[in-house]
Structure formats: structure tokens, C-alpha cells
Amino acid sequence: MASGKILIFFALLLYGLVTLMPDIYWQNLILTPHLIAYPFVLWWQGGLILTVVLFLLRLYPQERPFYLFGKGIDRWVLFLMTAVLLNCIFAPFKPQAIWQGGICLAFITIGYSLWQQLQITANPIGLLKYQALLQVAYILESLSLWITQKILPYWQQLQALKNEGIIRNFDLNQANLHNAMPSGDSNYVAGYVMLALPLLFTLALVEKGFWRQLGLWGFVLGLIDIYSTSSFPGLISLIVVIASFLLLLLTRSRLTLGATIAGGGLVSILVLSNSYYRSILFSGEQSENLYRTITKAVALGIGKAHWLIGAGLGSTPLLYQKFRPEWAGQQLEMEFQLHSVPLQIFSELGLIGLVILLWGSLLILRLLLQSKGSPNHWRDCLVIGIFGYIPLGILDYQLDVVAISISLIIYLVVLFDLSDHKEVIFPYKYRKFVSYMGWLVLLIGIAWVTPIDRAWHLSSQAFFQLREYQNAPTIEAANQAFAMFETKLNHALRLAPWETYYSNQLGWNLGLRGWHETDQTLAQKYQTTALEILEKSIKSNPNQEFAYHQSAWLLHNLGRSAEAEPLFRQALAILPRKASSNFGLGLSLIQQGKSEAGIKAIVQECWHHSQFITSPLWRNQQLQGLYPTVMTELAKLYQITKQDLNLAVLNWWLGKPNALKELRSVKQSITDLLADTIEDKREKLQTIIDRPQTPKEMLISAWYNPSKRQELLRQAWINSTEELEATKIQPIVNALTTRMNSSTNFYQLLRSPLPLFTTLSLQQYNQRRGFGIMSRHVDGADPHDLFVIEQNAIFTQFWQDLFPPPRLKPDLDNWQ
């Protein structure tokens, strides 16, 4: 049927486009995940709808058979669909569950549609060749984007730093250079390429001419691409792939010494040449293990609370902060997945999900172990690819990446076609009922999704207007653009009231404008409206801290401290260490006359954010009176909990007698350096004075070298911030030079109060990085907290290691 062929063509075309579309808005050069940005979301939605339509068209005609998989797979699919239905019915966040459940059902139809096509055309190799072409295109695109978007800008940055006299080695393996193109995450790239390598190797081994060259070069470039990701799960999967290949050689013929040496040598080269891999395997890199430990704790918490049928598909980003353990500190405050397929399934589908996973794994294992006649290289490559992907599935969650999910479906369906199976035909009398129900569900689904997509479109337009407002040439144009932003995002919120991204963004932007508005009537209007919108966000999802935090500060700013207090407490109950939450709570308590409780809250702020004691914010008249009491109570707490470094630094900062002696008693390099510099121990500092290496050492060298002061201070600031724009650097350098020239000793340079309106008083925005990803929307920029913390530039950029956060939780109720 011609219509079927046309649908297949467009479905494959959309699959290719979604797979290859880079995470870049070329229009404004902002990196964004394309699958959750408008209008790119319509592409994969259209592809899924096409596959559902194709499935239903194959299902209905009586004259054409509809093939089932057999061997228990169809019963497993029926059980999965039942579990998804129950999950959507009982999920606490139903719209998100229905959204994800619909995608899951569409993926099932992809499997059946592919199966029908293979039974009709009997050409599984043709499908694998299309997949190989797509994989090579993906690898070429990945490496091209990595070089142009990361490596070349990094090289240019190093050259610019070199021109400033700052020499840095080219380190290919640092985290911000890991190749995340085009899928938005280095583990995603590694996952897709790991599935590609066995297929490309087989193509080079089995085919001739063009296809052999494609497979050979694709395989080589794929190895380079894997290396460029520095993905630890990718490395483990590569080891499994190589081990599977060697095991296959052993079972098929004999394991050759050359193959063993080649496989082991390849892994050794990858590990030894990559500092990130070495740090994990040999130095016990803590960050890699810590974030997995945190997400594991979250998954178990969500799963235990919803143990039978789970918390609902798509619920993880909504519940993450509620179940995030307090011992995680400030690590991974924003997340949207649990970095493990079993853990994600347990949290969102409960024990039923684990049964589905185990049952499906057993079916796949039986499929992998089956053989069909003589050895088949194509079947072997699919087996190795699926086995190799298992570590990635355990160590990362990637089923929401369309390119990876559909690749897995293609591999499994083709593998089943290449294995022993009997023809099983779906009886027509049941097909007719399923077809009618399928069309009904599809039409209802389209009707349900249409206003959601309309809201997405309106929000995209709204954020365009917001950018116009921020760049408007006149006040009238700015007001008009902001009014359009508010109108369109309000409309989007009415269409999809459960989307907290809209309410959070609208409330925050209204609050931000009111926060900085000089007209008090307008300021109150904007802030009051913002509070009403943020209240809707809290009602939609009471488990996220953002709306509580912003609402509390807005209420405090409006002088409604009694109303702000419970919101600050709710924000702290979710994220106990979030910057400025305890400070805001303390101020609201003090304004209500609850001074003792307020002091304790501010002490907690200083405990979690030790450098806060140096903030110029304390110059405020109200805070000046509180400062001595807060510092006294903080010192008591440090003493009780034996935080020797923090106590010694605090006593030095407060100018206590014998403070330098106390600093030396801590016996840490940073405190010894501080004491040596203050006491002018030039003989101990000579190497630093002559050949400074770090920003801190450059600052010290500038003190002792007045003739080179400007140059050294400039290098110190650039080295610390990597800021190269002259208009931003020079005011800071001038202020540092002036302060240094007017100081009689190094202690005075560090400790004397900063003057008013100095550039050394940094306005520090607490940026909510990952806010859009967690919300599964990225059309707008990530917000920052309304309250801005002032920071002392000297300590923020040069002496920050004097202020490590204590790891212990302070027992403020029982301290003496």
C-alpha cells in the first residue's frame, strides 16, 4: 500500500532528524536540549504519531495478516500496557504520567510496526544498513560539534590567557570538554555510539565496497567519539563489548592471542591517556561515586513510598527534592533522573515495574541465547551491542533519549527476526476491536496533547518577548514587550495549569521586575501578582523548593515577615542548605521580635556558607547590630563541634588575640600561608614572590612587587575568573591596586572594610542551573534567586579555601 510506504518514509526521516538534531539554537547560540524545546518537540511527537498510525493501518485490513511476536513477548507487552494504565490512573501527577505513558505506548507500536515491515519485506539487513548510515552521520556530527563548539573555543581561550602571561596546559579531559554533542549529555553520546560500534564493525567485516569503508571508518571514528565523551559508563560498556567479542571468538573458533592483546591494549590506551578515567579507577574520584549514591538514595526513597505501582511515570523530577537526603549537602540539588534504569523504573513503576523489567530481561536473554542455523555475524553484532549496553543501562538512565530507545527497539526486533521463531498471526476478530480502540485512543491523545503544544508555542513566544524586553531601546518598547510576555505566558498557564515551569517563570519574572522597580506602586503590584502566580506553582507541586524560596523573599521585601516565615521554613525543609534561605528566615523572625530564633537561623546560614561572614552585606545598619551576636554564637558552635579551621579563621577575621598562633596550630597549608604573609615572613614566601603560580600567590606577589603590581593583579584576576573582557577586568584591577597602595600591611589589605560602591563588592546571583532541564522545558533562561548576596571579591576569588563548609549538621537547639 502506497500510503504505508509514504508513512514509513516520513517516520524514518523524522527518526533521523531527531537523532541528528544538535542541542543548539543556532539563532541565539544557546545550548539547549532540542527534544524539550519548541518547536523541536513537535518533530518527535509527529514521528511517534506516524508510527501509531502506521501500526493501526497494518492492524485493520482483513486481507493482510498482522504478525505477533510470540514466545511470550506479546503477553509481556499486554502486562506492560496494563501496568502503564494503572500507573496513569493512580499517579499523584496524572498529566505527567499520561504524557510519559503515551510515549511508552507509541514505542510499543514502533516495535510492532517494524515487525510487520520485516515480515513483509524480509530485509532486516537493509534496516540495519540504514541504522549504520545514521550512526556514522551521528558520529561525524558529534566529533564536528565537539571540535568546533568545545575544543576550538577552549584553544582560543588558552591562547588569550597566554597573551595575558598566563600559561596553562591543554587538558583534553577536563569535565567541561567532555563531548556531549549532539545529544546534550556525554553519557547519552557514549550510549548511542556504544550501540553503533558492533554494528559498524560487522559492516566492515561482512560487506564490501562502500559499506565496508563506511563500517571501517565509522568504527574508528566511533572509538574516538567514545574517548571524547570521557564517559565512565561508556568505558565500562566498551570493556563489556570487547569481552563479549573475545568470548564469541572463543566459542566460534578459538581465542587468538592477537585479538586478546588488541582488546586489552585498546582499553589500556583509553584509560592511561585519559586523566578523568584514571582519577576514577585509580584515585577514587569522589564526584562520580557521590552523585550515584545520592540518586540511589532518592530512588529508594521514592520507591519505598510508592512501592506497589510506583510514583507515576515522569514523577522523578517532581519528587526528587522531597526525597533527596540531607547528607547530600548542596550536591545535586537539581536533577531530573536517577542515573539507573532499574532505579528509575522502581521509583516510577514500583514493584510491578521491577517485575516487568525482570520478565522482559529474561525474554531478551532467551532471545540472545537462541541460534538459527550456522553462525550469523549480524545476529552476533546485535547480541554484543545489547550486552554491551547493559552497564550503561545500570549506570545511567537513557530510555527517554529517542535515538537510543528506538535503536534498542530496532536491535531487538531484528535480532528476533534473525532467531528461530514461528509465525504467529493475530486473529482478525480481535484485531478489529483493538483497531477501533487504538484509533479512539489516538484521537483522544491528539486532542489532549493539542492544548499542551499550544501552551508550549505560547510560552516560546512569551520568552521571545521577554528577550525583547531585556534588549528594548526605549521604556515604552520594554513595557509593551513585558506586557506581551505576561499575557502569553498567562495564556499558556491556563492551557496547562499543571506545568509548574510556566507558573514559576511567570511568577519569578514578575517578582524580579517588581523587586527592582523604583515606582513603589508598580513594585507592589508586580510583586503581589507574582505571589499569586507562585502560589499556583506550589499547589501544582508542593515538593519543590523554588516557589517557596522566591515567595518568601517577596513577602519579606513587602514587609510581610509573618507570612514569609512559614514559606522560608518550607523551603528549608526541602533544601536545608540553600543559600540565603536561613538568612531570610532569620531576618523575618527578627522583624517579628523573635530575636533569639532569628539569630540561630542566621548562624545556620553562616555555618553552611562559611564565607558569608566576609560579606559587605553586614554594613547594613540593621545587620551591624546583629553581627557581633551572630559571630559569638557561630564561634561557640565551631568550638563545640571541633571545627578547628573554621574557628581559627573566624577568630582571625574578628581580630581576636593570638589569632595567628591559632591559625598556625591548625597545621594546614592555607592557614600557614595566610599567617606567613600577615607576619611578613619574606624568606618563606620568596619562591611565591618570584614565581607565583596561583591567583592567591599572584596577589601576594603583587603586594611585594609594587613595580609589577598592576600586571600581577590583572593576571591574578584573569587566572581566577578567566574573564578577558577589558571593561570588566580593569575596574577590579584598579580597585585592587588602590586598596593595595593605601594599605600599610597585608592584614589591613585583607581585613579593612570595603568602601561603599566599590567594584570589589560583587553582586552574587544564586543561579538556578539545571532549572529548565529539571522542568523538562528550556524555552526560557534559567532564573536566579531574587535576593542577591554581596561578596568580598578578595576572599571570593583568592582566599575561598579558607572557608570550607563544615560537614556536620549543627545541633542549634542544644548548643550552650
Side-chain angles (χ1 to χ4, degrees):
M1 187 163 55
S3 60
K5 292 181 179 179
I6 293 172
L7 287 177
I8 292 171
F9 171 77
F10 279 109
L12 289 174
L13 178 63
L14 285 174
Y15 165 51
L17 289 174
V18 169
T19 298
L20 298 177
M21 185 178 296
D23 279 8
I24 295 177
Y25 275 153
W26 292 108
Q27 181 181 0
N28 53 14
L29 298 181
I30 298 175
L31 296 179
T32 55
H34 57 264
L35 294 185
I36 50 176
Y38 192 89
F40 305 118
V41 65
L42 298 179
W43 292 32
W44 62 262
Q45 284 183 19
L48 292 182
I49 290 173
L50 278 179
T51 58
V52 174
V53 171
L54 182 61
F55 167 81
L56 293 173
L57 289 175
R58 295 288 192 197
L59 184 65
Y60 183 71
Q62 185 175 6
E63 66 277 5
R64 176 178 292 175
F66 186 90
Y67 299 95
L68 298 177
F69 286 104
K71 293 194 174 181
I73 295 176
D74 307 291
R75 287 192 294 272
W76 177 83
V77 169
L78 185 61
F79 184 73
L80 172 60
M81 294 170 63
T82 304
V84 168
L85 177 62
L86 291 173
N87 189 266
C88 292
I89 292 172
F90 295 104
F93 303 101
K94 286 182 175 57
Q96 287 84 353
I98 293 171
W99 179 273
Q100 297 293 336
I103 294 173
C104 178
L105 294 179
F107 278 178
I108 291 172
T109 65
I110 290 174
Y112 277 98
S113 296
L114 284 173
W115 184 240
Q116 308 315 305
Q117 191 64 20
L118 290 182
Q119 300 314 295
I120 295 170
T121 63
N123 185 24
I125 309 307
L127 180 59
L128 291 181
K129 286 183 176 180
Y130 172 77
Q131 179 74 5
L133 276 172
L134 198 58
Q135 289 166 345
V136 173
Y138 181 97
I139 291 168
L140 288 171
E141 179 187 24
S142 175
L143 290 172
S144 299
L145 288 174
W146 178 59
I147 292 170
T148 58
Q149 301 296 313
K150 290 200 172 186
I151 299 302
L152 289 180
Y154 173 60
W155 176 258
Q156 292 166 358
Q157 178 81 353
L158 291 183
Q159 295 306 304
L161 291 173
K162 185 178 180 181
N163 294 336
E164 294 288 345
I166 301 169
I167 307 299
R168 291 190 181 176
N169 295 326
F170 187 89
D171 183 7
L172 193 62
N173 305 129
Q174 57 180 305
N176 64 338
L177 291 182
H178 292 180
N179 186 2
M181 306 288 188
S183 298
D185 185 274
S186 59
N187 287 335
Y188 295 167
V189 176
Y192 187 83
V193 177
M194 280 308 311
L195 286 170
L197 289 179
L199 178 57
L200 295 174
F201 182 81
T202 302
L203 202 64
L205 185 67
V206 173
E207 295 294 321
K208 295 181 180 179
F210 166 78
W211 291 107
R212 171 168 290 183
Q213 294 298 316
L214 181 79
L216 179 62
W217 286 109
F219 180 78
V220 172
L221 292 174
L223 290 175
I224 298 173
D225 206 18
I226 286 284
Y227 179 84
S228 70
T229 65
S230 292
S231 166
F232 181 66
L235 174 66
I236 301 301
S237 283
L238 181 61
I239 293 172
V240 172
V241 164
I242 293 173
S244 300
F245 173 72
L246 295 176
L247 182 62
L248 187 67
L249 281 181
L250 183 63
T251 56
R252 288 284 185 263
S253 55
R254 60 190 181 87
L255 184 61
T256 64
L257 180 61
T260 307
I261 293 174
L266 176 61
V267 172
S268 299
I269 291 171
L270 287 175
V271 171
L272 294 176
S273 63
N274 190 306
S275 59
Y276 184 73
Y277 288 153
R278 294 198 306 272
S279 66
I280 294 174
L281 295 175
F282 305 127
S283 304
E285 171 64 36
Q286 295 300 313
S287 60
E288 181 79 20
N289 298 324
L290 179 60
Y291 87 81
R292 297 190 190 283
T293 304
I294 293 170
T295 53
K296 177 183 176 182
V298 174
L300 294 177
I302 297 175
K304 288 177 182 178
H306 307 84
W307 62 272
L308 183 57
I309 59 173
L313 294 170
S315 65
T316 295
L318 303 172
L319 292 172
Y320 178 88
Q321 289 184 340
K322 178 181 179 180
F323 290 93
R324 180 178 166 276
E326 188 173 341
W327 51 258
Q330 291 183 270
Q331 297 285 332
L332 266 68
E333 289 181 338
M334 306 288 282
E335 264 298 329
F336 63 96
Q337 62 169 237
L338 303 175
H339 297 282
S340 171
V341 170
L343 291 177
Q344 190 95 9
I345 287 177
F346 176 56
S347 66
E348 296 189 355
L349 281 169
L351 286 179
I352 289 179
L354 291 182
V355 170
I356 292 171
L357 179 63
L358 180 60
W359 185 1
S361 299
L362 292 174
L363 289 173
I364 293 172
L365 181 62
R366 185 176 68 180
L367 179 62
L368 296 179
L369 296 176
Q370 285 179 340
S371 61
K372 184 178 180 180
S374 60
N376 186 304
H377 293 298
W378 295 107
R379 186 182 65 245
D380 293 341
C381 83
L382 298 177
V383 171
I384 291 174
I386 293 170
F387 261 121
Y389 188 77
I390 290 174
L392 270 158
I394 294 173
L395 296 173
D396 198 41
Y397 180 77
Q398 304 180 350
L399 295 183
D400 56 350
V401 181
V402 175
I404 292 176
S405 295
I406 297 183
S407 294
L408 286 169
I409 292 171
I410 290 173
Y411 278 26
L412 290 170
V413 171
V414 174
L415 181 61
F416 191 73
D417 186 65
L418 295 175
S419 303
D420 293 325
H421 63 273
K422 294 180 181 179
E423 186 179 274
V424 181
I425 298 177
F426 193 16
Y428 179 72
K429 60 179 180 179
Y430 299 121
R431 286 165 50 193
K432 189 174 182 180
F433 172 76
V434 173
S435 176
Y436 287 154
M437 289 299 297
W439 284 110
L440 179 63
V441 170
L442 177 62
L443 292 175
I444 292 173
I446 292 174
W448 183 77
V449 167
T450 299
I452 297 174
D453 285 341
R454 172 64 177 154
W456 220 320
H457 179 219
L458 286 167
S459 73
S460 180
Q461 291 180 326
F463 291 117
F464 174 79
Q465 291 296 329
L466 184 62
R467 290 189 288 271
E468 291 291 299
Y469 157 73
Q470 292 164 347
N471 300 313
T474 64
I475 295 177
E476 291 77 13
N479 289 336
Q480 184 179 2
F482 192 85
M484 288 292 292
F485 158 76
E486 185 179 356
T487 300
K488 287 183 178 294
L489 202 52
N490 252 319
H491 191 181
L493 183 58
R494 287 195 297 272
L495 289 171
W498 47 274
E499 283 283 18
T500 57
Y501 183 74
Y502 301 152
S503 51
N504 282 332
Q505 283 278 15
L506 179 57
W508 178 77
N509 278 287
L510 285 168
L512 181 66
R513 182 161 189 191
W515 191 274
H516 296 292
E517 180 61 60
T518 54
D519 184 324
Q520 290 306 305
T521 302
L522 281 176
Q524 186 167 359
K525 172 192 170 185
Y526 281 126
Q527 291 180 80
T528 303
T529 307
L531 285 166
E532 294 171 359
I533 300 296
L534 290 170
E535 186 179 356
K536 294 180 182 179
S537 172
I538 292 172
K539 287 181 179 178
S540 297
N541 182 14
N543 305 303
Q544 291 178 328
E545 168 267 351
F546 178 82
Y548 292 116
H549 183 101
Q550 311 309 323
S551 297
W553 272 111
L554 285 171
L555 287 167
H556 176 78
N557 199 46
L558 290 169
R560 296 157 60 179
S561 298
E563 297 173 67
E565 179 192 340
L567 290 174
F568 275 124
R569 292 191 184 280
Q570 286 170 309
L572 286 165
I574 298 172
L575 294 181
R577 304 190 188 193
K578 195 66 180 180
S580 82
S581 288
N582 273 300
F583 183 62
L585 174 62
L587 293 181
S588 67
L589 288 167
I590 290 169
Q591 286 186 0
Q592 296 175 69
K594 304 173 184 178
S595 298
E596 184 178 351
I599 292 293
K600 286 187 177 182
I602 296 175
V603 169
Q604 281 214 57
E605 182 75 30
C606 296
W607 173 275
H608 294 310
H609 307 278
S610 306
Q611 196 174 298
F612 187 53
I613 67 172
T614 70
S615 173
L617 194 66
W618 294 102
R619 293 177 308 207
N620 178 282
Q621 188 173 0
Q622 177 192 8
L623 296 178
Q624 280 181 345
L626 296 174
Y627 193 69
T629 307
V630 171
M631 295 302 104
T632 299
E633 297 301 322
L634 182 62
K636 288 180 183 178
L637 192 55
Y638 283 153
Q639 191 170 17
I640 291 169
T641 55
K642 301 186 185 307
Q643 302 297 311
D644 295 336
L645 173 58
N646 297 91
L647 180 60
V649 171
L650 176 62
N651 287 336
W652 167 79
W653 177 256
L654 296 175
K656 294 291 182 69
N658 301 317
L660 289 179
K661 182 178 180 182
E662 191 175 348
L663 280 176
R664 292 191 183 281
S665 69
V666 176
K667 295 182 179 179
Q668 293 199 22
S669 58
I670 180 62
T671 52
D672 287 342
L673 178 60
L674 178 62
D676 288 341
T677 311
I678 291 172
E679 291 184 332
D680 197 21
K681 304 270 187 188
R682 190 170 185 131
E683 66 283 357
K684 291 185 177 181
L685 301 170
Q686 198 60 52
T687 301
I688 290 175
I689 295 170
D690 295 338
R691 294 182 297 278
Q693 301 296 320
T694 66
K696 188 188 297 93
E697 292 177 354
M698 292 172 186
L699 180 75
I700 295 171
S701 181
W703 173 257
Y704 285 102
N705 291 289
S707 62
K708 299 180 180 179
R709 186 161 288 171
Q710 276 264 347
E711 178 187 351
L712 286 166
L713 289 175
R714 180 182 177 85
Q715 288 183 359
W717 189 258
I718 294 174
N719 211 324
S720 176
T721 63
E722 296 197 357
E723 174 62 64
L724 291 168
E725 189 176 334
T727 56
K728 294 182 179 180
I729 300 170
Q730 204 54 47
I732 292 283
V733 172
N734 291 341
L736 282 170
T737 304
T738 300
R739 184 175 176 86
M740 199 169 274
N741 291 340
S742 61
S743 299
T744 56
N745 54 56
F746 201 78
Y747 175 80
Q748 186 182 4
L749 169 71
L750 296 180
R751 187 59 191 87
S752 60
L754 293 179
L756 294 174
F757 311 115
T758 176
T759 55
L760 298 179
S761 180
L762 301 179
Q763 303 292 307
Q764 183 64 40
Y765 290 96
N766 182 27
Q767 196 73 35
R768 297 288 181 137
R769 288 181 173 82
F771 182 86
I773 299 293
M774 185 176 180
S775 306
R776 314 308 278 152
H777 283 272
V778 290
D779 297 284
D782 285 346
H784 58 75
D785 288 344
L786 294 171
F787 180 75
V788 180
I789 301 174
E790 288 186 70
Q791 292 190 343
N792 186 321
I794 297 173
F795 289 95
T796 299
Q797 300 300 334
F798 303 119
W799 296 93
Q800 64 270 33
D801 42 358
L802 278 173
F803 304 95
R807 295 183 179 180
L808 302 173
K809 177 184 176 182
D811 186 3
L812 297 180
D813 295 326
N814 297 319
W815 94 55
Q816 300 298 318

